Amino acid sequence: MRLYLEWLGDFIDISDKSPEELGNSLSLSGTEVAGVEYPWSYVEGALVGRIVSTGIHPESERLQITEIDIGARKITVVTADLTVKKGETVAVLPEGSSLSGMKIEKKEFLGVESEGMFLSLEELGLEDKSLTILRLEEGRPGDSVVELLGLDSPVVEVELTANRGDCLSVVGLARELGAIFEKKITRPEVDESIQTGDDPFLKVKLNDNGCIRYTALLVDHVKIGESPLWMKKRLVAAGLRPINNVVDITNYVMLETGHPVHAFDVEKIGSTEIVVRKARNGEKLELLDGKTVELDNNDMLITNGETPLALAGVMGGEESGVYSTTKRVLLEVAVFDPVRIRKTARKLGISTDSSYRFERGIDYEDSIYVIRRLADLMKQLCSANVGSNIVDAGRVPELQHIKLRESYVSERLGGAVPPEKIGRILESLEFSVERTDDGWKVRPPAFRAYDTKLEIDLVEEIGRIYGYDRIVNELPRISPISGGVPESLKRQKRLKDLMVANGFDEVVTYSFVNPEEIAKVNKGVDCIALRNPLSMDMAVLRPSLVYNLLAAASYNFRRQNRDIKLFEIASVFNPLEKQCETTALGFVATGRENPQDYSDKRVIDFFTIKGIIDEFFSLYGLTPAYKPSSAPWLERGKAVSVEIEGARAGFLGAVDPAIADSLYEIKSGEVFIAELNVTLIESMMKEFSGVKKISPFPRVFRDLSFLVPYSIDYGQLEKLITDTLEGTLFNEVRVSDLYEGKGIEHGYRSITVTLAFESFEKTLTDEEINSLIELVLKETEEIGVKLRG
């Protein structure tokens, strides 16, 4: 909602308030203000001028030379508008002024120098195409055109929540400010002599209960023309394009009151009978925007008894619109079921200013005032006459009173609001208030009936107008009901500490993701879909953390952060599992291991991530097994499945470079990503003291270089060595070198392992170690692993 402050001033005195103060006050009361804008700030230095003399250009009959008095001096302007006459007051941009960032400079036209240009309504955005310059009815030469026309008044951009349809109007926001600043608001007076009741020339029938109320009036002898400048200016500032005086009046009243209205050309509709009915399945209607829509019986139509005239609450029909030939108009002020209008608009993909307001619920008690306001403006600006009584069909729902207890308000707001202020606040918001022994009996106004139904709703109104910033914060007193923080949360804290200690930054992402983005990375993933997603970007629950982590890595990489370490601990959702929601740890890394140390040239590799995973499992007293993985979106040969006692607990791998480049625009270095099932791992955790006994005697190390066939992975080799030497002096085995290439037999790779031996009773001898090495060589030879020469 764009609130033009000049227009607001008609309803409430804001002369002592700055735009920033108004914006801050609205924001603090729960009506968020996105910013303040000056719609005509692009016009600088425009002055009032008076035409001193005119004459046809000696070299062209299509140009006129004018001399203009602009106060401090006289200037010459060459113009193509031959209607300019001596003595007229005009708007001019002299040399040195600017328009839309373009500096106005002297320019020569066929030998005559022009020292500026005239302004028209087209340059001010108040007309689509201006054939003549702008004439002014007042002003002295040298006055500012911007100040004279009130083009220096700002617009406050207000962002409203779906439940505050009552603020989608000038009067609604004036009411909010009146309550905040304790000022009275005034509304334009209307001609109350226009009678209501049955009329022989105007009939209304409601054959669909989705139309709550329908109010109509005939207006005769309408003269279609341009709207006055003041109305055009307000519509443009509010974001609407002026069309003609009748259409502009309907838009103006909608913005002013918040009640959508419509005008039908009586001659085109061929009747003065209005029937509101359900559409028939397959029935079609051409709308004002030229689009033809196909309807069903869930949609509501305004008809002349048979022919559709408008799609109720959404848009009028092309055949019944108001054009330059219109002489007689039927005015409509209706109230429709918000749910029905919302469903129709969503189904057809149409959103209009009318549907936007009807969907949020409008005032169903102000119809008579609104139609009288329309009639007054039609008489004033279209020279029209009222041609019938006001016909008012339908029902006005009875509003229920809400009991508001003084003790309840005090409990919820900490006793901050004095009781005498509570009634005044509610009354300023146009609630009906009656004092009782223990509180108040409150009746909400019709425009708040949609979102004010409970006692707590009234407390919210009191709190936001009084000002939450004026209420002293006090934490509630809660008796402890448990022995402290759950162990699972303590372990998650240790996990986070582990990741931070390894240089990772924590991210928090949405639980909802776009299924199309998942399919681009990994096709065939089952997801839990939402029934009514806000958008496709939030259509399913995430089956894994990796998609959001890769998106976060991409976001950083595209902003020149090439050394990335990110992690997240959060829920993931798998519809194929018995326990569909589990906790996972995911992390992604690429770039240098230690970017803060210029002397450290290491980059993140597979074993960097594997080391973190090993450290992770040590917190749970577990030792993981790594088995090759063939996930299509991970790089072949650099992806493993992480298992615990035969159960898959996660994975680790390098993202396929083609996917990293094309989908995530990470174009250099390898991107490693891992995810671990924390819920599963916690269920399998073992007691682990963290204490390791160290022998007082020296360890003995032996390096063995093996030629290992591609068909055998290191995990198999390690298990063979461990099983062979179990129960001996053997302590551990680890990889110390990996080599493929020149000098290595085809189909093999060289893996060098270091075996450690240890005794707690004596110093080991070569004979003891060599005998164990022989055992290893014998077993490895049997599976095709050779000792490299």
Side-chain angles (χ1 to χ4, degrees), residues 706 717 720-721 775-785:
F706 292 109
L717 178 62
L720 178 66
I721 293 171
L775 285 174
V776 171
L777 295 177
K778 181 181 177 182
E779 294 296 327
T780 55
E781 188 175 349
E782 289 185 3
I783 64 170
V785 175

Side-chain angles (χ1 to χ4, degrees), residues 69-113:
D69 177 8
I70 58 170
R73 68 186 193 280
K74 294 178 182 178
I75 62 172
T76 298
V77 173
V78 178
T79 178
D81 185 355
L82 301 181
T83 65
V84 177
K85 294 181 175 60
K86 178 181 177 180
E88 288 183 322
T89 302
V90 296
V92 63
L93 284 163
E95 178 188 6
S97 58
S98 66
L99 181 67
S100 300
M102 179 186 71
K103 209 76 172 173
I104 306 301
E105 299 176 346
K106 290 181 180 179
K107 190 174 181 181
E108 188 175 291
F109 291 89
L110 301 176
V112 177
E113 194 170 57

Side-chain angles (χ1 to χ4, degrees), residues 141-324:
D143 287 349
S144 166
V145 171
V146 170
E147 292 179 7
L148 178 69
L149 298 181
L151 302 179
D152 54 348
S153 183
V155 167
V156 174
E157 185 77 34
V158 179
E159 294 182 353
L160 299 168
T161 53
N163 66 314
R164 293 307 306 275
D166 62 294
C167 286
L168 286 169
S169 64
V170 180
V171 69
L173 291 170
R175 182 169 47 238
E176 287 287 299
L177 291 168
I180 294 167
F181 297 124
E182 298 184 359
K183 292 188 175 186
K184 289 187 176 181
I185 67 168
T186 58
R187 291 178 175 82
E189 294 183 359
V190 295
D191 183 0
E192 297 188 0
S193 66
I194 304 175
Q195 297 297 309
T196 61
D198 294 337
D199 190 277
F201 303 106
L202 180 59
K203 305 294 181 184
V204 175
K205 294 181 181 178
L206 305 184
N207 294 339
D208 188 327
N209 59 12
C211 182
I212 299 168
R213 187 177 186 184
Y214 196 100
T215 308
L217 178 69
L218 290 176
V219 179
D220 299 327
H221 307 295
V222 175
K223 293 183 180 178
I224 303 294
E226 292 285 323
S227 297
L229 182 60
W230 62 267
M231 179 172 280
K232 286 184 175 182
K233 183 178 63 172
R234 291 183 174 186
L235 291 174
V236 169
L240 295 181
R241 180 173 63 89
I243 297 174
N244 61 51
N245 49 2
V246 174
V247 176
D248 291 351
I249 286 169
T250 61
N251 286 330
Y252 186 88
V253 171
M254 176 189 69
L255 292 171
E256 183 179 78
T257 65
H259 201 133
V261 298
H262 195 71
F264 296 103
D265 186 322
V266 174
E267 303 305 322
K268 288 183 179 180
I269 65 178
S271 170
T272 57
E273 180 179 17
I274 294 294
V275 178
V276 183
R277 63 168 173 85
K278 289 183 178 180
R280 304 183 185 97
N281 287 328
E283 192 167 10
K284 294 183 179 180
L285 173 65
E286 184 181 1
L287 301 176
L288 279 171
D289 62 359
K291 180 181 178 182
T292 299
V293 292
E294 185 172 328
L295 309 172
D296 58 41
N297 60 13
N298 292 314
D299 303 316
M300 200 172 356
L301 287 174
I302 312 299
T303 73
N304 62 2
E306 182 58 33
T307 305
L309 307 176
L311 183 58
V314 180
M315 189 182 292
E318 175 69 22
E319 296 300 322
S320 62
V322 172
Y323 295 96
S324 59

Side-chain angles (χ1 to χ4, degrees), residues 571-610:
S571 294
V572 294
F573 306 87
N574 187 342
L576 302 180
E577 297 291 339
K578 185 176 181 181
Q579 182 180 353
C580 68
E581 180 180 355
T582 56
T583 301
L585 164 66
F587 50 102
V588 62
T590 185
R592 293 173 292 175
E593 279 206 20
N594 186 10
Q596 305 302 321
D597 184 356
Y598 71 90
S599 65
D600 189 347
K601 304 301 181 184
R602 295 176 300 158
V603 295
I604 293 167
D605 61 13
F606 180 90
F607 295 103
T608 305
I609 308 302
K610 179 181 178 295

